[in-house]
Amino acid sequence: MLIQSRFPLKALQQVSSKRFNSSSLNPTIKNQLSNPPPIGSIIEARGFVKSIRSSKKVGFVDITDGSISNNLNIVLQGPDQPKFKVGQSIVVKGDWTVGKGKQPFELKYNPENPQHAITILGDVTDDYPLQKKATSMSFLRNFPEIKHRTSTLGSFLRLRSHLEFKLMEFFQSRDFIKVTPPLITSSDCEGAGEVFKIEPLNPKEPFFGKNAYLTVSTQLHLECLALALNRAWTLTPCFRAENSNTTRHLSEFWMLEAEISHVDNMDQVTTFTEDMIKFVTRSLVESSHSTELSDLGAGNGNDYLNGTYIEKDVVQSRWSNILSAERWPRMTYTEAIEYLNKTLPQDEQLIWGDSLQLKHERLLAEKSPIFITDYPESQKPFYMLKSANYNAENPTVTCFDLLVPEFGELAGGSMREHDYQVLLANMKQENMNIEDMEWYLNLRKQGTIPHGGFGLGFERLISYLAGYDNVRDISAFPRAPELCNC
Amino acid sequence: MLIQSRFPLKALQQVSSKRFNSSSLNPTIKNQLSNPPPIGSIIEARGFVKSIRSSKKVGFVDITDGSISNNLNIVLQGPDQPKFKVGQSIVVKGDWTVGKGKQPFELKYNPENPQHAITILGDVTDDYPLQKKATSMSFLRNFPEIKHRTSTLGSFLRLRSHLEFKLMEFFQSRDFIKVTPPLITSSDCEGAGEVFKIEPLNPKEPFFGKNAYLTVSTQLHLECLALALNRAWTLTPCFRAENSNTTRHLSEFWMLEAEISHVDNMDQVTTFTEDMIKFVTRSLVESSHSTELSDLGAGNGNDYLNGTYIEKDVVQSRWSNILSAERWPRMTYTEAIEYLNKTLPQDEQLIWGDSLQLKHERLLAEKSPIFITDYPESQKPFYMLKSANYNAENPTVTCFDLLVPEFGELAGGSMREHDYQVLLANMKQENMNIEDMEWYLNLRKQGTIPHGGFGLGFERLISYLAGYDNVRDISAFPRAPELCNC
């Protein structure tokens, strides 16, 4: 790196090389399993009781703390074994030993050893709902405050955290600046009117001096920042007041948006999007998440709340679909209509200008992720750049939807119109309030740059990669019409 | 790592080891300066014109693209030099050569070389406001869409992105799961009533089936997740409808919150908080951000928009204050009152139970960051654990505020009451709606665990580390009473 510090920071750098205490916290089970203490040492482990088995001579208690999907097995020696209930939080002090069977380690508790101890930190009620048996997701939704202790939902959360970390690495390595566009906005980016209005609980006059809404997409603000910083991305909540109850929609969701200056052609954007999704998927193949998700697969009876939700084959085929092609196909909307009409029965033929429905998207992405580009102008927002071969008869814009097998749309993007006069004309045609949007138009007056970008619903990405197709269980506390239960 | 993949993913792993194209985008100036192309090669560089100097024989144009604070110098050879305006976005194709003076590299453009080229992508108006001269922040606030192209505001954004990346690394290495608690909530965490109410633009009945608000703190939901995952953290927007116009408050801000299960005593939480802040500060000392911020220091006339805002000495003394002590002092609120009364004049003496004002906080943190612990119960929210030496006369809770020199409060945290009966009594005493909060209370019924955590306003941390004390310029698009201008 070229840059040299010109700060006189020698003294600080000396201090900074000292090792600070990083172990102020009690160890997690993840830490104990991945950096195991010496065999034979006496250690404390902490977690929830997940399952209990016992015989006359010996008892077994599996505990989990959610830091990892793996359980730690506690072996209770001797006939006078303490009694536990599933769900209790406990601390066990015992001997760290080599495990039997599949488990590399286990913790042996001997009631006759005065150095050993078991403490029940928190008891459970007799009707504690998370027992060692398969349940349904709809059953779990009744317990929003404790359902994340289950294997499946815990895995979703660990997967989400991992993906966010890997996305951060990806964008960082490509010189993107992570930014935070506002959520409270006075402009409706998509112009669809499906926004939430906000005001103080006890309003006197408009708090912000004008009407204020929750953002539906941060793109317009992101463009300001990408023009200033060359490349900008964000992972931020967005809000839609659509009254739709589906497995693919939330009223509050997180959106990954990236915006790139100095783009010569949209293929740079689609290639970048493809690189990004392949990068995070490869990181799953190479990490423990492949184990974690496969543990949730059907037929694994070792654990409660397995067996019903995640099909190992589904996960594997999705990851494989993403990674196996060197380059995903691209097809224009116009070509897609022709392609579909070869397959569709006579009474379902499409004509140019029709919207692609979910079943059409799944046909197009039958074998591989695919970018469908250059949709009709009328189907897309005002800010998209006209296609290179734009014609008044079948007018299209330089945009794409990324469709993935079994699922449909995962991401969408476009080149942005960077010419002031054309953008102004687009906005007038849509009867937008030009005065309110002058700040956005101004970007095209002052040092405009060809640029493009994309957005991706984060819960949808997690859902797709986890092989589980209901975003309401991917979001930790889902918000939807009639759903704001805690 | 103990975990082995049980997925039959060999084929995928082979594919994943292939190198994918990661250079679909045009290079940034950061990339060109840190991974320089071979001297003598012809390359293209892209950026905004930042300053222009010319003589008869040679001209100089500095360009910047915001990916880094450094400019790239363009040398225009020969007498017929093209004319530029500050703010134009341009592409220059020329010879990559060794730089003169402080610059390691420069780009030479020769109009007689047919392979060289200059393109003006975007012109500017004659009144383009970001000229090569010092301006004030209040002047820049008039241009929310382009102000981030200035050195100072660009540096704040790059600093923010860096800090977020380092925080991610820090929490990841300590087994924390990054989570996203909801922003739309039906409960008021702090009970202060300063919340925003939300509803669809065209409401029919309550969209969510009940009143819904924007969260003021995600802590209650974060506790659910930390109990399920052992350790959870979030960096997420929060909202306050306070009608306060200060340099320290925003209506929309980002809050870092961390929640930790299995905490034996609050010293574990304060030590962890201290470790975290030292970790990110050390990363600044060791990175190019020390240069970037010092470039903004007074007296550097090389660049526009320097010279007025960031005092190099302020930045350095803050970083030094954070890093120089092995362990920051801890003092209880009761001790703090005694300490302050030794310093304060007779007519400003405090009595036990008084709130600490900003000037008191600055006295306590005169030389070093300091944790003030165990505040009076009446000053703190219902969920805090009573202090170990709790007494009815001077009742206190196990909590802390982190105060830093010149600034005041940077973070606050506590142990949480984990006993069901005590928490219920606390809530009744505050006349809270028990039914609405049953989900939260239930955490203390089902496998409760001693836990604690803290929250930190992210803009305040950036502000403090950047040596610039107005969060309204730290937030890219600040929201405050009467302020929602784009």
Side-chain angles (χ1 to χ4, degrees):
Chain A
M1 194 66 180
L2 141 95
I3 304 139
Q4 292 293 320
S5 171
R6 270 173 276 157
F7 247 109
L9 284 173
K10 232 177 231 172
L12 286 192
Q13 269 158 352
Q14 280 165 2
V15 172
S16 85
S17 67
K18 277 190 199 172
R19 305 283 298 171
F20 288 92
N21 171 26
S22 63
S23 57
S24 68
L25 306 180
N26 294 321
T28 60
I29 290 179
K30 179 179 182 185
N31 187 257
Q32 289 172 326
L33 290 177
S34 54
N35 300 301
I39 297 297
S41 51
I42 293 184
I43 69 137
E44 278 185 344
R46 295 163 182 79
F48 291 110
V49 173
K50 201 154 189 191
S51 73
I52 306 160
R53 286 157 294 145
S54 65
S55 66
K56 276 181 196 164
K57 285 189 189 160
V58 66
F60 300 96
V61 176
D62 291 347
I63 65 170
T64 179
D65 71 348
S67 62
I68 194 173
S69 61
N70 302 49
N71 300 330
L72 178 65
N73 298 357
I74 312 291
V75 181
L76 308 164
Q77 296 178 304
D80 293 328
Q81 296 156 16
K83 294 276 172 277
F84 295 103
K85 288 188 276 185
V86 168
Q88 285 174 327
S89 66
I90 65 173
V91 184
V92 182
K93 196 171 175 187
D95 289 331
W96 184 255
T97 63
V98 175
K100 297 237 166 62
K102 278 198 263 178
Q103 303 297 330
F105 305 103
E106 60 191 26
L107 192 63
K108 280 211 168 104
Y109 167 78
N110 181 347
E112 291 174 12
N113 186 332
Q115 291 184 276
H116 288 195
I118 287 184
T119 312
I120 293 176
L121 294 173
D123 205 354
V124 289
T125 58
D126 287 340
D127 58 353
Y128 185 68
L130 308 181
Q131 296 299 321
K132 186 181 173 177
K133 61 182 179 190
T135 53
S136 69
M137 283 290 188
S138 58
F139 172 76
L140 289 180
R141 288 184 204 128
N142 299 317
F143 311 98
E145 75 281 16
I146 53 173
K147 68 176 186 176
H148 299 105
R149 298 175 196 178
T150 61
S151 316
T152 313
L153 293 173
S155 286
F156 292 165
L157 291 170
R158 287 184 291 272
L159 175 64
R160 179 183 199 120
S161 179
H162 171 86
L163 289 173
E164 194 170 336
F165 183 56
K166 286 294 160 183
L167 286 167
M168 185 76 102
E169 277 188 356
F170 179 81
F171 281 104
Q172 185 81 3
S173 72
R174 278 149 182 84
D175 293 354
F176 277 73
I177 313 292
K178 187 154 192 249
V179 296
T180 52
L183 304 192
I184 298 175
T185 171
S186 52
S187 43
D188 176 3
C189 172
E190 302 284 326
E194 285 169 335
V195 295
F196 290 107
K197 184 179 172 182
I198 70 169
E199 53 185 25
L201 183 54
N202 303 308
K204 283 162 204 149
E205 60 252 33
F207 185 82
F208 295 107
K210 55 171 82 173
N211 287 339
Y213 310 98
L214 288 178
T215 194
V216 296
S217 156
T218 67
Q219 186 202 307
L220 306 189
H221 296 90
L222 196 62
E223 285 184 55
C224 298
L225 297 172
L227 288 179
L229 302 167
N230 199 330
R231 303 175 185 175
W233 77 293
T234 189
L235 184 57
T236 192
C238 287
F239 305 86
R240 303 265 165 107
E242 290 170 277
N243 200 353
S244 58
N245 266 305
T246 81
T247 58
R248 297 155 54 85
H249 292 89
L250 292 165
S251 302
E252 172 183 338
F253 61 102
W254 284 67
M255 179 113 95
L256 188 166
E257 292 182 273
E259 196 69 30
I260 310 164
S261 295
H262 296 290
V263 176
D264 298 328
N265 56 70
M266 196 175 64
D267 194 58
Q268 292 181 309
V269 183
T270 53
T271 302
F272 182 82
T273 309
E274 182 175 345
D275 285 348
M276 180 192 79
I277 293 170
K278 284 178 169 171
F279 180 91
V280 298
T281 308
R282 275 202 307 284
S283 82
L284 293 179
V285 173
E286 291 162 358
S287 77
S288 59
H289 289 276
S290 60
T291 308
E292 184 150 328
L293 289 173
S294 74
D295 271 349
L296 300 173
N300 180 338
N302 253 342
D303 213 342
Y304 62 83
L305 289 169
N306 292 339
T308 34
Y309 314 114
I310 307 294
E311 294 289 342
K312 194 191 290 198
D313 293 348
V314 171
V315 176
Q316 200 181 346
S317 81
R318 289 186 177 185
W319 295 5
S320 173
N321 277 331
I322 287 170
L323 291 175
S324 51
E326 186 91 30
R327 181 179 153 92
W328 300 336
R330 275 77 171 159
M331 186 186 270
T332 66
Y333 165 88
T334 305
E335 290 164 346
I337 295 290
E338 285 169 22
Y339 173 88
L340 288 168
N341 279 343
K342 285 182 197 152
T343 314
L344 292 169
Q346 203 56 41
D347 59 341
E348 293 179 21
Q349 293 282 299
L350 296 166
I351 55 166
W352 199 96
D354 283 348
S355 291
L356 298 180
Q357 304 300 316
L358 191 55
K359 65 175 179 181
H360 302 134
E361 294 183 339
R362 289 186 180 169
L363 278 171
L364 291 165
E366 200 167 8
K367 290 174 191 157
S368 159
I370 183 171
F371 290 104
I372 306 297
T373 70
D374 299 274
Y375 282 75
E377 190 171 31
S378 60
Q379 292 182 17
K380 295 291 179 181
F382 70 96
Y383 50 72
M384 292 189 177
L385 185 73
K386 295 183 201 311
S387 297
N389 60 353
Y390 186 86
N391 66 76
E393 204 171 326
N394 288 338
T396 57
V397 286
T398 312
C399 68
F400 67 88
D401 280 4
L402 171 62
L403 312 179
V404 292
E406 300 177 330
F407 198 77
E409 185 195 333
L410 191 60
S414 79
M415 295 295 291
R416 320 307 186 186
E417 179 54 68
H418 57 272
D419 182 276
Y420 177 82
Q421 292 299 344
V422 179
L423 186 63
L424 183 65
N426 288 354
M427 292 169 74
K428 283 186 174 162
Q429 191 159 8
E430 307 231 353
N431 291 318
M432 294 177 70
N433 182 332
I434 304 297
E435 200 182 329
D436 270 5
M437 297 292 280
E438 208 168 315
W439 61 276
Y440 180 70
L441 269 165
N442 210 24
L443 294 174
R444 277 68 178 173
K445 262 191 192 162
Q446 308 292 19
T448 188
I449 300 172
H451 62 291
F454 64 92
L456 174 154
F458 193 39
E459 284 81 6
R460 286 197 182 178
L461 177 67
I462 301 163
S463 169
Y464 188 67
L465 292 173
Y468 176 80
D469 291 353
N470 190 341
V471 291
R472 293 201 182 186
D473 301 305
I474 296 294
S475 173
F477 297 93
R479 299 301 184 235
E482 302 293 322
L483 182 58
C484 180
N485 55 354
C486 69
Chain B
M1 194 67 178
L2 139 96
I3 305 138
Q4 293 291 321
S5 172
R6 271 173 275 158
F7 248 109
L9 284 173
K10 231 177 233 173
L12 286 192
Q13 270 158 352
Q14 280 164 0
V15 172
S16 84
S17 68
K18 279 191 198 170
R19 304 283 298 172
F20 289 92
N21 171 26
S22 63
S23 57
S24 69
L25 306 180
N26 294 321
T28 60
I29 290 180
K30 179 179 181 183
N31 186 257
Q32 289 172 324
L33 290 178
S34 55
N35 299 302
I39 298 297
S41 51
I42 293 185
I43 70 138
E44 278 186 344
R46 295 161 182 80
F48 291 109
V49 173
K50 201 154 190 191
S51 72
I52 305 161
R53 285 158 295 144
S54 65
S55 65
K56 276 181 197 164
K57 286 190 189 159
V58 66
F60 300 96
V61 176
D62 290 348
I63 65 171
T64 179
D65 72 349
S67 63
I68 194 173
S69 62
N70 301 48
N71 300 329
L72 178 65
N73 298 356
I74 312 291
V75 181
L76 307 165
Q77 295 176 306
D80 292 327
Q81 296 156 18
K83 294 277 171 277
F84 296 102
K85 287 188 277 183
V86 168
Q88 284 174 328
S89 66
I90 65 174
V91 185
V92 182
K93 197 171 174 187
D95 290 331
W96 184 255
T97 63
V98 175
K100 297 236 168 63
K102 278 197 263 179
Q103 304 296 330
F105 304 104
E106 59 192 24
L107 193 62
K108 279 211 170 105
Y109 167 78
N110 181 347
E112 291 173 13
N113 186 332
Q115 290 183 278
H116 288 194
I118 287 184
T119 311
I120 294 175
L121 294 172
D123 205 354
V124 289
T125 58
D126 287 339
D127 59 353
Y128 185 68
L130 308 181
Q131 295 299 320
K132 185 182 173 179
K133 61 183 179 188
T135 53
S136 68
M137 284 290 189
S138 58
F139 172 76
L140 290 180
R141 287 182 206 131
N142 299 317
F143 311 98
E145 75 281 15
I146 53 173
K147 68 176 186 176
H148 299 105
R149 299 176 195 177
T150 62
S151 315
T152 313
L153 293 173
S155 286
F156 292 165
L157 292 169
R158 288 184 290 272
L159 175 64
R160 180 184 198 118
S161 180
H162 171 86
L163 289 172
E164 194 170 337
F165 183 57
K166 287 292 159 183
L167 286 167
M168 185 76 103
E169 278 188 357
F170 179 82
F171 281 104
Q172 185 80 4
S173 71
R174 279 150 181 84
D175 293 353
F176 277 72
I177 313 292
K178 187 154 192 248
V179 297
T180 52
L183 304 192
I184 298 174
T185 171
S186 52
S187 43
D188 176 5
C189 171
E190 302 283 326
E194 284 168 336
V195 295
F196 290 107
K197 186 178 172 181
I198 70 168
E199 54 185 22
L201 183 54
N202 303 307
K204 284 163 204 149
E205 58 251 33
F207 184 83
F208 295 107
K210 57 172 81 173
N211 287 338
Y213 310 97
L214 288 178
T215 193
V216 297
S217 157
T218 67
Q219 185 201 307
L220 306 189
H221 295 91
L222 196 61
E223 285 184 54
C224 298
L225 297 172
L227 288 178
L229 302 167
N230 199 329
R231 303 175 185 175
W233 77 292
T234 189
L235 184 56
T236 191
C238 287
F239 305 86
R240 303 266 165 107
E242 289 170 277
N243 199 354
S244 57
N245 266 304
T246 81
T247 58
R248 296 155 55 84
H249 292 88
L250 292 165
S251 302
E252 172 183 339
F253 60 102
W254 284 68
M255 180 115 93
L256 188 166
E257 292 182 274
E259 196 69 31
I260 311 163
S261 294
H262 297 290
V263 176
D264 298 329
N265 57 69
M266 194 175 64
D267 194 58
Q268 291 181 309
V269 183
T270 53
T271 301
F272 182 82
T273 309
E274 183 175 344
D275 285 348
M276 179 192 79
I277 293 170
K278 284 177 170 173
F279 180 91
V280 297
T281 307
R282 275 202 308 285
S283 82
L284 293 179
V285 173
E286 291 162 358
S287 77
S288 60
H289 290 276
S290 60
T291 307
E292 184 151 327
L293 289 173
S294 74
D295 271 348
L296 300 173
N300 181 338
N302 254 342
D303 213 343
Y304 63 83
L305 288 170
N306 292 340
T308 35
Y309 314 113
I310 308 294
E311 294 289 341
K312 193 191 290 196
D313 292 349
V314 171
V315 177
Q316 199 182 347
S317 82
R318 288 186 178 184
W319 295 5
S320 173
N321 277 331
I322 288 170
L323 292 175
S324 51
E326 186 91 31
R327 182 178 152 90
W328 301 336
R330 274 77 169 158
M331 186 188 269
T332 66
Y333 165 88
T334 305
E335 290 164 346
I337 296 289
E338 285 169 23
Y339 173 88
L340 289 168
N341 280 342
K342 284 181 197 152
T343 314
L344 292 169
Q346 203 56 40
D347 58 342
E348 292 179 22
Q349 293 283 299
L350 297 166
I351 56 167
W352 199 96
D354 284 348
S355 291
L356 298 180
Q357 304 302 314
L358 191 55
K359 67 174 178 180
H360 303 134
E361 295 183 340
R362 290 187 178 168
L363 278 172
L364 291 165
E366 201 168 6
K367 290 173 193 157
S368 159
I370 184 170
F371 290 105
I372 305 296
T373 69
D374 299 272
Y375 282 75
E377 191 171 32
S378 59
Q379 292 181 17
K380 295 290 179 183
F382 70 96
Y383 50 72
M384 292 190 179
L385 185 73
K386 295 183 200 312
S387 297
N389 60 353
Y390 187 86
N391 66 77
E393 203 170 327
N394 290 336
T396 57
V397 285
T398 311
C399 68
F400 67 87
D401 280 4
L402 170 62
L403 312 179
V404 293
E406 301 177 328
F407 198 77
E409 185 194 334
L410 191 61
S414 79
M415 294 296 291
R416 321 306 188 186
E417 180 55 68
H418 58 272
D419 182 275
Y420 178 81
Q421 293 299 345
V422 179
L423 186 63
L424 183 65
N426 288 354
M427 291 169 73
K428 284 187 173 161
Q429 190 158 9
E430 307 230 352
N431 292 316
M432 293 176 71
N433 183 330
I434 305 297
E435 200 181 328
D436 269 4
M437 296 293 281
E438 208 166 317
W439 62 275
Y440 180 71
L441 269 164
N442 210 25
L443 294 175
R444 277 67 178 174
K445 263 190 189 162
Q446 308 293 18
T448 188
I449 300 173
H451 62 291
F454 65 92
L456 173 153
F458 194 38
E459 284 81 6
R460 285 196 184 180
L461 177 67
I462 301 163
S463 169
Y464 188 66
L465 291 173
Y468 176 80
D469 290 353
N470 190 341
V471 293
R472 294 200 180 185
D473 301 305
I474 296 295
S475 173
F477 297 94
R479 299 301 184 233
E482 303 292 322
L483 182 58
C484 180
N485 55 355
C486 69

